Amino acid sequence: MAARIDETPEWRALAAHAAAVKALHLRDLFAADAERGTRLTLEVDGLYVDYSKNLVTDETLALLFALAERAGVTERRDAMFAGEPINVTEDRAVLHVALRAPATERIEVDGIDVVPEVHRVLAQMADFADRVREGMWTGHTGKRVRNIVNVGIGGSDLGPAMAYEALRHFSQRDLTLRFVSNVDAADFWEAVHGLDPAETLFVVCSKTFSTLETLTNAKSARDWLLTGLGGDESAVAKHFVAVSTNTERVQEFGIDPANMFEFWDWVGGRYSFESAIGLSLMIAIGAEQFSEMLGGFHAVDEHFRNEMPERNVPLVLGLLDVWYSSFLGAQSQAILPYSHSLARFPAYLQQLEMESNGKSVTLDGEPVSWDTGAVVWGQPGTNGQHAYYQLIHQGTRLVPCDFIGFAQAAHAGGDHQDLLMANFVAQTEALAFGKTGAEVAAEGVPTSQVPHRTFAGNRPTTSILAERLTPRTLGQLVALYEHRVFTQGAIWQINSFDQWGVELGKALAKRIVLDLQSPALKSGATPALEHDSSTNALISKYRELRDLR
Ligand code: G6Q
């Protein structure tokens, strides 16, 4: 059993050092080191990362690297790349990096090279995507398919939905793409609103093919299709494809396995969108641009795998996350993309980070006594500036923020991009340096208002800047966060690759559905409900209101 991380000298040194750092101010750190803003920067494959406006000194960084060494982050990283079953509670390898490995690479799981399989499925996806894009995939009535509805939830939805929004500019515009995830019928009915069933293809994405929400939506999709096309069951073959690891269940649902795209149990749901789970994205942007995206992922994978710790971007940023969560008491982290196309990126990262590192026992099953994953939240700037940035600037909480921006807009013209990016830069400057009471008073502000208009500053930000948001850049960004999450988990000695926390609610919901649908309940009788008093009352109230209809 490894030593508990908080009992190591490296951890203790950081805990002691944190008190000293709390007394420092970014104003002084920048004043003392004219080079800080260029020195504390890193680059990976064209992504420029400025971490100088974080609450760290050179000593903090040295202590964090020592902690990484003590925790064996690089050994654990190597074990991941080697296909070892590092997801111990599910006894699985963790090989999303194989999904973007070039065909020339060899990555083994249980002695079998998985790279040829990955490329076989990519080729199958490309062939299918081409046929849809070129109008060669026709529906039951012979009409060209031009609407694609992705049905999936969690890891089978958030990635492709986020990436489609991000790369819409690169998509084929005569195709309509929509995403359905929620079991709330409103999601499904809005997604198919205005679509012609004869021109609509459903891509049902589910690793297990047993997820309640997805199967319920897929069933409604089949009913909608068959109603629209006169009830001929054979229409399903032309209008449904599946992405899954479970051939049997796909077949049971009525989808021809010939129309199934496979992936593997060594790909975690939230790490899967560059597998066949990205099929609808590939239909939108085409196989070539999808492959460019994989190239971006791979470049960052290689960087994470080979770069020395001090220059290793995901490692450095992961260590900063640990610093804020475990030593400086930050409860949350804001993701602030200055790109409207990345509107769904914070939601995507919410799953990536919170499902991965929202854990409270170590790999050995012992309770942790340190804080782990932060609450991740955010929305695109500049909208957030007119809403919740107030709290970040003047509230009582420490909220480390990631600012993500691009030098060139997809849509050139007007002043939009310069105005957008002026705000990006101004916010990071204001957060770091603030405005002192003396500066406010010197502007002639009445004394009583000075405290209200003073900005303490010293609020940490990391700036990530790229030339342009392209498929490649998106791949880089996602891989950067994936490995950052990996780094956090390795330090915290937790399993970042399971998600048992989602199970209990699912199991209870199954039981409560029976309560809601039992004939005794439907007839208005009061059956014995066997939950706690609050749950019983909620069920009864729901039933009473529902049956008013
Ligand atoms: C991700 C999780 C989870 C999963 C969904 C959908 O890591 O495992 O979000 O992706 O529950 O599961 P299926 O793909 O099996 O439907």
Side-chain angles (χ1 to χ4, degrees), residues 100-123:
R100 51 261 192 157
T104 46
E105 227 169 272
R106 191 179 169 87
I107 301 180
E108 291 184 3
V109 179
D110 297 330
I112 295 165
D113 181 11
V114 296
V115 178
E117 267 295 278
V118 167
H119 283 268
R120 177 185 66 77
V121 175
L122 280 171

Side-chain angles (χ1 to χ4, degrees), residues 150-160 205-207 263 269 272 277 351:
N150 192 87
V151 183
I153 194 164
S156 298
D157 166 73
L158 286 160
C205 290
S206 177
K207 183 172 168 181
F263 67 119
S272 70
I277 291 291
Q351 181 188 30

